Amino acid sequence: TTAYSEYAVEGFRLDALDYLLKPFSLADFSRAAAKANSLYELRLQAQRATDPTLPAPNDEPMATATAGAIATGKAFLDSAKQTAAYGDEVDKTSQKLGLSAKAYQEWDYVMRIAGTEMSSMTTGLKTLTNKLDDAKNGSEGAQNMFKALGISLEDMQNMTREDLFNATIAGLQKMGDTTERAALANDLFGKSGQNLAPLFNMTAEETQNLIDKANEYGMVMSDEGVKGSAAFTDAMTTLNGTMTGLKNNIMTQFMPSLTEVTEGLADVF
């Protein structure tokens, strides 16, 4: 197997039985395994024709090997689908939240440690963004909220939603008065702010350590991986939709006949 089609000619020059170009399907893998099994049987028959003393064939080992290969291929495909589903979720949800795929995954790990999930912050981040817009448009109340976190109007001018979120969390973590902090979090994030109390009890250093750990332990899928996963999932959605459409188009041709049969049976009973 390979991801490079240019090696196909070289592969067959070396008597390759098949050429699996990644990403390949379970059907492709099964076809290659069946071809290998057939060639194995042909070679055994040729050997027995020239040497009658060879023992009778025992199909069980090859059958077991083939079944194992197919099972391995299915497990590989299932794993690929799970990975693609995760990457697709990261891609879609990070766009909804206005965060990069990397930041979404990092913060999701931090949030899970704090007892919540980043995907639940859709409404909270929208509320925060609205407060930012209010502050930029001259709302003194909104400006004072961010000022309490050390974020000036000048700072806000070039902030992305991701920058704003990072700065707001860091500012709330620095507040010593928990009652005032809870009230401000509720103003900035709405009801979502109530679920962030464990996060606000962390220090900025502890939060950064968790972000570093997420990257160090391989919890953060690369941008290429996320995009590839989303493309694979979209392709599978298109394929499934095409197959469903094909089935529906075929079956609709039989509907008049099936209706007549059904009505006839109803008359009988």
Side-chain angles (χ1 to χ4, degrees):
T1 68
T2 178
Y4 303 97
S5 59
E6 61 265 28
Y7 296 128
V9 174
E10 179 66 13
F12 286 113
R13 189 182 70 80
L14 297 174
D15 297 328
L17 293 178
D18 208 330
Y19 196 83
L20 297 180
L21 186 63
K22 299 177 182 177
F24 53 84
S25 66
L26 178 59
D28 294 333
F29 184 86
S30 299
R31 185 196 67 238
K35 188 182 293 186
N37 188 37
S38 297
L39 182 61
Y40 173 78
E41 289 295 337
L42 288 173
R43 286 181 176 175
L44 280 183
Q45 292 175 13
Q47 290 175 355
R48 283 192 292 272
T50 57
D51 186 359
T53 62
L54 287 175
N58 181 4
D59 293 335
E60 185 176 349
M62 178 52 68
T64 301
T66 301
I70 293 175
T72 300
K74 183 178 184 305
F76 175 82
L77 184 59
D78 289 343
S79 179
K81 288 181 177 178
Q82 291 172 4
T83 299
Y86 170 78
D88 185 62
E89 180 186 0
V90 169
D91 178 65
K92 301 294 192 296
T93 309
S94 63
Q95 291 186 57
K96 291 178 182 178
L97 296 178
L99 304 176
S100 66
K102 183 176 186 293
Y104 170 80
Q105 295 175 88
E106 292 170 343
W107 276 111
D108 189 51
Y109 173 64
V110 175
M111 291 289 189
R112 289 178 186 276
I113 294 296
T116 185
E117 296 180 7
M118 196 62 191
S119 58
S120 66
M121 289 297 298
T122 304
T123 303
L125 272 168
K126 183 178 180 180
T127 302
L128 180 64
T129 303
N130 289 340
K131 291 297 181 183
L132 174 64
D133 292 338
D134 290 343
K136 287 182 177 180
N137 291 329
S139 170
E140 186 176 348
Q143 291 176 5
N144 288 335
M145 289 179 192
F146 289 110
K147 186 176 180 181
L149 301 176
I151 303 173
S152 67
L153 183 59
E154 183 180 356
D155 294 333
M156 300 177 203
Q157 297 305 319
N158 298 315
M159 275 188 170
T160 64
R161 182 180 286 194
E162 186 173 317
D163 294 333
L164 177 65
F165 180 73
N166 294 341
T168 301
I169 295 298
L172 287 166
Q173 288 177 331
K174 293 177 182 177
M175 294 184 68
D177 189 324
T178 56
T179 302
E180 181 182 354
R181 181 178 66 189
L184 185 54
N186 186 69
D187 289 337
L188 292 172
F189 290 106
K191 292 182 179 179
S192 299
Q194 300 173 10
N195 299 325
L196 299 178
L199 174 62
F200 299 147
N201 288 330
M202 296 181 188
T203 64
E205 183 180 1
E206 290 171 336
T207 303
Q208 186 58 51
N209 287 339
L210 289 175
I211 291 175
D212 293 341
K213 182 181 289 187
N215 285 279
E216 181 182 352
Y217 288 8
M219 302 178 199
V220 179
M221 183 181 287
S222 69
D223 288 342
E224 288 184 359
V226 170
K227 291 178 181 178
S229 297
F232 175 81
T233 302
D234 292 344
M236 288 298 296
T237 300
T238 300
L239 175 61
N240 291 334
T242 301
M243 296 304 293
T244 299
L246 178 62
K247 178 195 69 176
N248 292 340
N249 288 330
I250 292 174
M251 292 307 299
T252 53
Q253 304 301 316
F254 294 96
M255 287 303 166
S257 298
L258 291 173
T259 300
E260 291 182 6
V261 171
T262 303
E263 290 176 345
L265 291 174
D267 292 339
V268 171
F269 294 102

